[in-house]
Amino acid sequence: MAATTNFLVRWTYAADVPGRGMVVWTLLAVASGGFLLLGAATLVHGGRNWCLRTGNPDLG
């Protein structure tokens, strides 16, 4: 996701896209949101596995 966002940001500047400032900030916001969701999902999944390993499935 980061590589694709990097490519698109560079492309918008190279192609001189009108309104590229808004396009770039939107791309960065979407990529950041994706990484935040991935991090949250990782924490939830890790918490479930931790609860199952400790023998307390009520927590997960």
Side-chain angles (χ1 to χ4, degrees):
M1 186 181 330
T4 302
T5 302
N6 184 16
F7 173 77
L8 290 173
V9 167
R10 291 174 182 266
W11 178 80
T12 57
Y13 278 96
D16 199 22
V17 174
R20 66 180 172 250
M22 185 59 72
V23 172
V24 167
W25 282 110
T26 302
L27 286 169
L28 292 174
V30 169
S32 297
F35 282 117
L36 287 173
L37 287 174
L38 178 63
T42 301
L43 290 174
V44 168
H45 182 69
R48 285 185 187 154
N49 284 342
W50 179 77
C51 290
L52 291 175
R53 278 195 315 262
T54 60
N56 192 356
D58 294 332
L59 294 176

